[in-house]
Amino acid sequence: SRAATVEIFEIDDSSAIPSRPAAAVVAPATVGYSGPTIRLTLRYKNPQTNKDGKTNIRIKMDQPLQHLMDEFNMASLAISRVQFDGQNLVMSKTPAFYEMEDEDLVDVTVVVKKGTASHRGSAMAVETTQTTTIHVQQKGDPKNKVHAFQIKKMDPLSKLVNAYCKQYSLTSIKLEYNGRCLDPNKSPCAEGLPSVVHLDAVVPVGVGASGAGGGVGGGGRPIQLKFRVNGKSTDIETLSLPFKSHFQTAMDHFCTKRKVAVAQCKFIFDGESLHPNGTPEGLDLEGGEMIDVKLPAVPAVSAVTAASATARSVQATRAKRGGPAARVNPFAKSSSARASTAPAAKISIQTNRNLNSNTRQKTWKVTNTDAFSQLQLEYTKYYKSKGCKTVKFFFRNDLVQDMTRTFRDLGVGDKDMIYAMENGKAYKPV
């Protein structure tokens, strides 16, 4: 994934609102988190000493990742970017969203806080206690750009909103902190924001660039969506769709290229049917998501027809040789014909990694006629960065010994759990 683009914008004090009595500081509402607690190791390079450092921070699985920035206890340093498995993380998301586990390693980029010894020589340096550094990221931006603003702690957030809109030619935005909408008339201090914070910039539906029409359900920046046909990894088509356009536009374009009617196709995202009137913005898509498309299968020759053709062929061959025509029952199916009568079906299965107790497990979308060897390949590839070299699967407390067997062979159904033990770890029946 791309590295985040960080630009520092100093907000001009000339646009400041006339001074007024300071508002009473309002403490943020207390939010409780009930998910399991995990410990993450934050790895960073100290820009002052150029030495590598590590620190451990505990966080709940349903707690926003902003907690890592708030708890990073370095007097002169602050976190500017967080990465996991090479991906830039959004601070309003949770460890569960990124499928983090206990003792995972997280890479962070740290910068020297303004007002410290390293910055006192700069004319623009200000005391840390007087300013707030706010990193703003447009919600759903696929390029993951982050823009940093500095604002006085007692100035209203409307100054930041005006500066952001002016910089990017927007008419208005809403600021969110950990999913909570902020009041632009309040200051960072009144909203209880820390000295360094990440906020989401939400562009309301129908709001476009200044002077632009930008109607509801159309326009916006384009994002790339992948359409996978009948679960085949070799048949994937990528289409571009404006962020605020209806999915119907992409559906029509896809079906036109495939020469099929929209009514014959079923579009599925995250296990649910994709609504034609929905938008990428409504589903908070970032680009690159996979949409499964079920196309009507080409009609196959029935087993009875095939058996009848075989019978006629055998009779013709024996007649040519001068022998009696064999009596062949055209309705007698071979074992292979009986095995193929049940159609393949798409199912979702879960894998529990090394008997963990997480509330959310990794989900895989497969076909029930896929072999376990395919899951083994995808699993080791996915967890390679976390140290997985080999894996054994257990289903209903039995070891899957023959990896050529299919999920249907072993009775694996939709939503079933398969236990994965990595690198020779011992399995305990559950």
Side-chain angles (χ1 to χ4, degrees):
S1 58
R2 294 185 177 181
T5 301
V6 180
E7 302 176 65
I8 301 291
F9 298 95
E10 296 288 344
I11 299 179
D12 188 2
D13 277 338
S14 62
S15 61
I17 294 177
S19 59
R20 58 185 178 182
V25 176
V26 179
T30 303
V31 179
Y33 302 101
S34 57
T37 300
I38 62 173
R39 185 180 66 172
L40 299 178
T41 300
L42 274 58
R43 178 174 61 184
Y44 62 93
K45 181 180 286 292
N46 191 320
Q48 295 173 309
T49 63
N50 204 32
K51 293 183 178 180
D52 293 331
K54 289 184 180 180
T55 185
N56 295 321
I57 296 180
R58 293 185 178 277
I59 184 172
K60 291 187 178 295
M61 289 293 288
D62 58 345
Q63 189 171 7
L65 292 169
Q66 176 68 39
H67 176 73
L68 300 179
M69 302 186 70
D70 299 343
E71 292 296 309
F72 188 72
N73 189 20
M74 298 290 289
S76 60
L77 302 178
I79 295 176
S80 65
R81 185 176 65 190
V82 182
Q83 289 185 311
F84 177 65
D85 280 351
Q87 178 183 8
N88 291 318
L89 305 187
V90 179
M91 294 297 97
S92 60
K93 303 294 186 183
T94 65
F97 179 84
Y98 291 108
E99 297 184 346
M100 292 180 166
E101 298 177 352
D102 193 35
E103 299 183 356
D104 269 344
L105 183 64
V106 178
D107 287 302
V108 299
T109 301
V110 297
V111 295
V112 179
K113 291 180 181 178
K114 296 288 185 180
T116 58
S118 300
H119 281 82
R120 285 173 188 161
S122 171
M124 296 177 63
V126 291
E127 287 298 318
T128 307
T129 56
Q130 299 299 320
T131 63
T132 299
T133 300
I134 301 178
H135 297 263
V136 182
Q137 177 186 36
Q138 187 167 328
K139 204 168 186 178
D141 189 345
K143 296 182 180 179
N144 211 15
K145 290 182 180 179
V146 179
H147 309 283
F149 296 83
Q150 286 195 341
I151 183 174
K152 293 180 180 179
K153 285 193 172 184
M154 297 308 297
D155 280 349
L157 289 168
S158 58
K159 291 181 63 176
L160 186 152
V161 171
N162 293 336
Y164 189 93
C165 290
K166 181 180 179 181
Q167 183 69 30
Y168 302 108
S169 302
L170 297 171
T171 56
S172 67
I173 61 169
K174 294 180 181 179
L175 295 177
E176 287 186 359
Y177 173 56
N178 290 350
R180 174 170 63 92
C181 190
L182 301 180
D183 185 348
N185 296 319
K186 291 185 178 180
S187 66
C189 183
E191 286 284 11
L193 302 181
S195 297
V196 180
V197 65
H198 276 248
L199 302 181
D200 285 324
V202 181
V203 181
V205 176
V207 173
S210 300
V216 175
R221 54 181 175 76
I223 65 171
Q224 302 291 320
L225 298 176
K226 297 178 181 180
F227 291 77
R228 179 171 57 190
V229 179
N230 292 338
K232 297 178 181 178
S233 59
T234 56
D235 193 358
I236 295 177
E237 187 167 337
T238 301
L239 298 178
S240 179
L241 182 68
F243 192 54
K244 298 178 183 178
S245 290
H246 293 153
F247 290 119
Q248 183 70 59
T249 304
M251 293 176 180
D252 291 340
H253 183 73
F254 176 88
C255 291
T256 299
K257 291 185 68 176
R258 296 281 173 158
K259 297 181 180 179
V260 295
V262 176
Q264 292 180 288
C265 303
K266 188 173 183 180
F267 296 83
I268 300 173
F269 176 68
D270 245 4
E272 297 183 359
S273 295
L274 196 64
H275 199 285
N277 292 329
T279 65
E281 182 181 47
L283 293 183
D284 198 20
L285 303 186
E286 299 181 354
E289 286 85 359
M290 185 75 72
I291 296 173
D292 283 299
V293 185
K294 291 186 177 180
L295 290 182
V298 177
V301 179
S302 69
V304 172
T305 304
S308 299
T310 302
R312 290 193 297 269
S313 176
V314 170
Q315 289 176 330
T317 301
R318 293 198 175 189
K320 286 182 180 180
R321 294 177 180 175
R327 291 179 58 84
V328 179
N329 181 2
F331 298 97
K333 299 180 182 179
S334 64
S335 59
S336 59
R338 287 193 301 269
S340 61
T341 53
K346 295 288 290 184
I347 60 174
S348 295
I349 60 174
Q350 293 183 315
T351 52
N352 178 295
R353 186 180 180 223
N354 299 325
L355 297 175
N356 69 73
S357 58
N358 297 342
T359 55
R360 177 178 173 179
Q361 304 294 342
K362 173 65 179 172
T363 299
W364 309 81
K365 293 183 179 180
V366 299
T367 302
N368 63 355
T369 54
D370 289 343
F372 268 85
S373 57
Q374 182 65 28
L375 176 63
Q376 185 182 45
L377 178 66
E378 295 295 331
Y379 184 97
T380 52
K381 180 180 178 181
Y382 183 85
Y383 287 108
K384 181 179 179 181
S385 61
K386 296 185 179 181
C388 177
K389 296 179 181 179
T390 61
V391 62
K392 290 184 179 181
F393 295 121
F394 291 81
F395 179 61
R396 294 176 182 168
N397 291 330
D398 289 331
L399 172 66
V400 179
Q401 298 182 0
D402 185 358
M403 302 303 289
T404 64
R405 300 289 298 275
T406 67
F407 298 111
R408 184 165 65 183
D409 290 341
L410 298 185
V412 179
D414 195 43
K415 308 299 183 184
D416 274 345
M417 178 74 72
I418 296 174
Y419 291 85
M421 305 305 297
E422 299 176 5
N423 306 330
K425 291 185 178 180
Y427 173 77
K428 295 181 181 179
V430 293

